[in-house]
Amino acid sequence: MVSSIESSVGIERKVVTELPGPKSQALHERRKAVVSAGLTVGFPVYIERAEGAILVDVDGNQLLDLGSGIAVTSIGHAVPALVDAVSQQVASFTHTCFMVTPYESYVEVCEELADLTPGSHAKTSALFNSGAEAVENAVKVARLATGRSAIIVFEHAYHGRTNLTMALTAKNMPYKDHFGPFAPEVYRVPMSYPYRDGLSGAEAAANAIKIIETDVGAENVAALLIEPIQGEGGFVVPAEGFLPALSKWTTDHGVVFIADEIQTGFCRTGDWFAVDHEGVVPDIVTTAKGLAGGMPLAAVTGRAELMNAVHEGGLGGTYGGNPVAAVAALATIKTLRDRNLLGRAREIGDILLANLRSLQQDVAIIGEVRGRGAMVAIELIEPGTKTPNAVAAKAIITYCQQHGVVALPCGTYGNVIRLLPPLIISDEQLADGLGVLGDAVRSVQ
Ligand code: PLZ
């Protein structure tokens, strides 16, 4: 297997100052004068370089990265294949605008997307810069192709911060508060959340479908948009059968099934896409993050008849599919393939789940351990209840940070800690990170 990947053994976690260190603290002070206070920073250590699964900060601390910049650097930091591809492209040309004078790498990325996304039907893609932009465009395509306007989304969903995607996102604070008015024709239904709703996938789907049919009417629905495993909302893994039942309902009613695979895509969950796990074939897939190893790139990939229903000039944007980002995507996809990082994501999942489930036995504040592949979380609760425990989550993350481990919170109630390690992380690094996390959980217990 690939547990002994060369580039990830280069450097290890090492804390040499208090964290954040003095130089980071000074930079953080400096930022106050010029960076909007609307951007909060989870861990104010300023990064100078990175390698494999390690971030090196301006004070010389080596931090173990269990977040991958929110599921982006899945192939690891500073991977030579990506560095070379990007450097060469920068030296050749950085931009022409694909809509003005095109280039091959854009076409090649779309070929890869057609090949890798679920289903053997003809597919076409359009490339964008951010996940939110991809989601917006997926909705545009679905509305145009169906001639309908309603969009179905789910509780705990996260789809972005632009005006339409704020409407699609569930959680008010911090994403939406006072940023309205929001786009209309967005309808929210319950997500399958086995830990909290106790329903089977079939029951949860029947429940959601009943609400859609009574409150909206199938004939008004352009698209059903869902994260196959919810990211920001708390790594909510729907019960088995939920996604297939929804997919069937959309097919039966001429509704476009859009899988938002922006956080789950590109081997993160141990499949190329999270929907692959249950053989669900979406009509449209949105991707970003792990697609291009840190360069900003996003894509909408869908059935050719939907994507090509758009009138000429109906899709686009100045930077979408930028040549530097496009070659980064090609290098990323090649690295995922060549290093069998799909298999590695499964191994990481086995290690994380086994370790965290055994930790759960020892403590009273872990309500559930869940996830798939290298996308695993613990949900923290008040002992003996299912009451969300955001205070514990915050304390655990702070402990991890002070010990040089980057772990991220998530969840509607802020009580979930998620692990999204780079897929090239070594077994030793993973064990090291889990050791710190275990100490952290025990320390607040
Ligand atoms: N869809 C499923 O996870 C981005 C958001 C971080 P952008 N998630 C990280 C933050 O607080 O802004 C995301 C996602 C899913 C869409 C998006 C949006 O992707 O590239 O951030 O626009």
Side-chain angles (χ1 to χ4, degrees):
M1 284 309 234
V2 276
S3 359
S4 55
I5 284 164
E6 330 78 60
S7 81
S8 53
V9 265
I11 48 176
E12 300 298 330
R13 180 174 64 96
K14 196 168 84 186
V15 177
V16 296
T17 67
E18 61 172 325
L19 282 168
K23 288 184 182 163
S24 279
Q25 286 184 33
L27 279 167
H28 209 53
E29 197 50 38
R30 186 172 134 202
R31 100 177 205 140
K32 281 188 188 159
V34 287
V35 179
S36 165
L39 288 122
T40 52
V41 172
F43 186 15
V45 284
Y46 284 67
I47 302 305
E48 202 165 70
R49 63 191 176 85
E51 185 181 323
I54 298 286
L55 302 166
V56 184
D57 76 8
V58 289
D59 292 289
N61 294 296
Q62 298 180 179
L63 313 159
L64 180 64
D65 184 5
L66 298 184
S68 303
I70 323 190
V72 172
T73 50
S74 295
I75 61 167
H77 296 282
V79 175
L82 187 135
V83 173
D84 292 348
V86 167
S87 310
Q88 280 175 28
Q89 183 57 48
V90 168
S92 308
F93 66 96
T94 51
H95 178 79
T96 63
C97 185
F98 188 76
M99 301 181 304
V100 178
T101 49
Y103 39 89
E104 185 177 356
S105 54
Y106 189 114
V107 179
E108 241 180 299
V109 171
C110 297
E111 285 167 351
E112 289 284 17
L113 288 165
D115 188 38
L116 292 170
T117 53
S120 54
H121 51 276
K123 295 168 211 156
T124 61
S125 294
L127 304 183
F128 301 96
N129 308 291
S130 68
E133 213 188 335
V135 172
E136 290 237 1
N137 279 280
V139 168
K140 279 163 67 171
V141 169
R143 282 181 168 157
L144 182 146
T146 58
R148 306 171 179 177
S149 55
I151 307 296
I152 305 299
V153 290
F154 290 80
E155 285 173 0
H156 312 289
Y158 183 91
H159 299 291
R161 293 176 182 264
T162 57
N163 186 263
L164 174 58
T165 58
M166 275 192 293
L168 302 170
T169 290
K171 190 174 172 176
N172 177 51
M173 203 53 144
Y175 308 123
K176 300 163 73 164
D177 198 54
H178 283 88
F179 290 142
F182 302 111
E185 287 304 305
V186 173
Y187 300 89
R188 193 169 309 284
V189 297
M191 175 69 178
S192 166
Y193 192 158
Y195 177 61
R196 293 196 173 275
D197 68 17
L199 300 177
S200 71
E203 289 163 346
N207 187 24
I209 288 166
K210 189 167 146 236
I211 297 171
I212 300 168
E213 291 185 339
T214 51
D215 293 9
V216 191
E219 66 282 10
N220 297 312
V221 180
L224 180 146
L225 167 65
I226 189 163
E227 299 156 86
I229 295 179
Q230 290 181 325
E232 304 307 304
F235 278 30
V236 180
V237 185
E240 205 82 9
F242 182 68
L243 294 171
L246 293 177
S247 169
K248 181 176 184 313
W249 179 84
T250 59
T251 307
D252 291 348
H253 293 87
V255 172
V256 178
F257 185 102
I258 306 174
D260 180 346
E261 292 261 10
I262 287 165
Q263 194 153 155
T264 48
F266 292 96
C267 302
R268 175 54 56 189
T269 64
D271 285 294
W272 276 96
F273 297 94
V275 287
D276 292 336
H277 184 70
E278 290 187 86
V280 168
V281 177
D283 300 306
I284 293 180
V285 180
T286 57
T287 53
K289 293 186 183 282
L291 162 62
M295 294 302 291
L297 187 70
V300 182
T301 303
R303 291 185 185 279
E305 65 270 25
L306 295 175
M307 297 295 293
N308 296 346
V310 180
H311 47 274
E312 271 186 40
L315 300 175
T318 305
Y319 293 113
N322 168 274
V324 182
V327 298
L330 296 174
T332 300
I333 292 167
K334 185 169 182 331
T335 304
L336 290 168
R337 266 202 201 101
D338 289 355
R339 294 193 164 187
N340 183 24
L341 293 181
L342 187 149
R344 180 61 183 155
R346 291 182 180 188
E347 283 181 359
I348 291 171
D350 291 344
I351 295 169
L352 290 177
L353 290 174
N355 180 293
L356 295 170
R357 285 192 174 135
S358 115
L359 175 65
Q360 184 184 19
Q361 303 304 309
D362 296 349
V363 298
I365 55 170
I366 300 181
E368 192 180 39
V369 176
R370 59 174 177 258
R372 224 161 50 226
M375 182 169 186
V376 168
I378 52 177
E379 172 154 4
L380 299 151
I381 41 89
E382 309 278 357
T385 72
K386 285 192 178 179
T387 308
N389 191 343
V391 174
K394 204 168 187 313
I396 292 165
I397 283 175
T398 302
Y399 181 104
C400 287
Q401 293 178 344
Q402 283 163 353
H403 292 78
V405 173
V406 181
L408 309 173
C410 65
T412 300
Y413 318 113
N415 67 321
V416 180
I417 296 175
R418 55 176 152 174
L419 301 178
L420 291 162
L423 307 179
I424 48 73
I425 194 168
S426 68
D427 284 353
E428 295 72 25
Q429 288 172 325
L430 202 53
D432 177 42
L434 283 167
V436 173
L437 179 63
D439 292 345
V441 172
R442 286 191 194 90
S443 79
V444 303
Q445 162 68 6

